[in-house]
Amino acid sequence: MGVRAGIVVCITSFLLGSLFTNWIADSLTLWKSPVTDEHLWTAATYYSILAKGPIEAWFFLAAIVATGGITILWSLRDLEASNVMFDGGSVFLFGTTVAMYLYSVLPSVFESFDSLPAHQLKDPFPRSLRGVTLELASNNLICSVALTGVLALQAGRSWAERSDNDDDEEFEEVETDGTRSRAKTPDPRTVTEKETERAKS
C-alpha cells in the first residue's frame, strides 16, 4: 500500500471511529423498539453536548476531512485504470459523507440541540425534536456505511496493484529465462558452415 492510500485509510478509519462514538445515542433511537421518551431525551442530551463542544474540535475535524479529500483527489490525478475505478468510487462515497454532514447533520445538531428545555427523563419528548433525533441516527448510519465502503475500495485498490506487480515480475522472469535459453541454443546454420570449412581444410 502506497503512502497516499495509507493516509486515506488512516483518515477514513479515524472518521469512522468518530462516528461510532455516536452509537451512545443512535443505538437508543435506531435499534431499540419501542423508542421511549427516555431514549429520546438521552440521545438529545448527547447531541446537546456535541453542539456546545469547543469550536477547536470542529476545526480539527474539518482539517482531517480536508486532508483526506485532497489525498484521494491527488491519487485520482494519476488516471491509471485502477485509480479511476477505486479512487473514483472513494471520492464519491467520501464526498457523499461530507455533503450529508454539512447540509444535514451539522445544521440539525447546532439548530435543534444547542439549548434543550429543562426536563426529566420521564417527561414527554417534544414532537418537534423527535423527527430530527431519529433522522440524525439514520444519517450517521449512512455515513458509517459510506466510509466503510471507502475502506473496502482502498483495500481493493491495494490488492489490484499487488496483483499487477506480481504479474509484471513473472513476465520479466519468463523473458529472462527465454533469453538465456536462446543464448545457449546454437544456430544450426553456424554449425554447418564451421563443419564445411573444417572439411575443406
Side-chain angles (χ1 to χ4, degrees), residues 2-5 70-85 87-88 91 154 157 161:
V3 175
R4 285 176 289 183
I70 292 171
T71 306
I72 296 177
L73 292 174
W74 183 18
S75 299
L76 194 60
R77 282 185 54 198
D78 295 340
L79 295 180
E80 297 179 2
S82 60
N83 288 5
V84 172
M85 181 173 62
D87 287 335
V91 168
Q154 291 302 311
R157 176 191 172 188
E161 289 179 348

Side-chain angles (χ1 to χ4, degrees), residues 1-2 5 86 152-165:
M1 182 180 293
F86 292 110
L153 287 171
Q154 291 302 311
R157 176 191 172 188
S158 178
W159 177 83
E161 289 179 348
R162 189 180 299 112
S163 297
D164 290 341
N165 292 335

Side-chain angles (χ1 to χ4, degrees), residues 113-128:
F113 299 97
D114 186 44
S115 59
L116 291 178
H119 64 276
Q120 299 293 329
L121 288 179
K122 299 297 183 180
D123 292 344
F125 193 76
R127 289 191 175 184
S128 59

Side-chain angles (χ1 to χ4, degrees), residues 17-40:
S18 299
L19 282 175
F20 283 160
T21 60
N22 296 330
W23 187 253
I24 299 170
D26 296 343
S27 62
L28 299 175
T29 57
L30 195 62
W31 303 106
K32 295 288 185 179
S33 181
V35 178
T36 64
D37 290 332
E38 184 176 352
H39 293 159
L40 292 170

Side-chain angles (χ1 to χ4, degrees), residues 11-151:
I11 289 178
T12 304
S13 300
F14 173 81
L15 296 177
L16 198 56
S18 299
L19 282 175
F20 283 160
T21 60
N22 296 330
W23 187 253
I24 299 170
D26 296 343
S27 62
L28 299 175
T29 57
L30 195 62
W31 303 106
K32 295 288 185 179
S33 181
V35 178
T36 64
D37 290 332
E38 184 176 352
H39 293 159
L40 292 170
W41 278 122
T42 302
T45 303
Y46 170 82
Y47 286 118
S48 178
I49 294 173
L50 288 185
K52 297 176 182 177
I55 193 65
E56 292 80 9
W58 294 106
F59 283 134
F60 174 75
L61 188 62
I64 293 293
V65 171
T67 303
I70 292 171
T71 306
I72 296 177
L73 292 174
W74 183 18
S75 299
L76 194 60
R77 282 185 54 198
D78 295 340
L79 295 180
E80 297 179 2
S82 60
N83 288 5
V84 172
M85 181 173 62
F86 292 110
D87 287 335
S90 297
V91 168
F92 174 77
L93 294 175
F94 198 88
T96 299
T97 302
V98 173
M100 181 169 289
Y101 246 73
L102 288 178
Y103 293 102
S104 180
V105 175
L106 293 182
S108 297
V109 170
F110 289 114
E111 292 174 6
S112 302
F113 299 97
D114 186 44
S115 59
L116 291 178
H119 64 276
Q120 299 293 329
L121 288 179
K122 299 297 183 180
D123 292 344
F125 193 76
R127 289 191 175 184
S128 59
L129 289 179
R130 184 182 181 89
V132 177
T133 307
L134 296 175
E135 185 180 359
L136 275 176
S138 299
N139 289 340
N140 283 329
L141 178 62
I142 293 172
C143 292
S144 298
V145 173
L147 291 180
T148 303
V150 173
L151 292 180

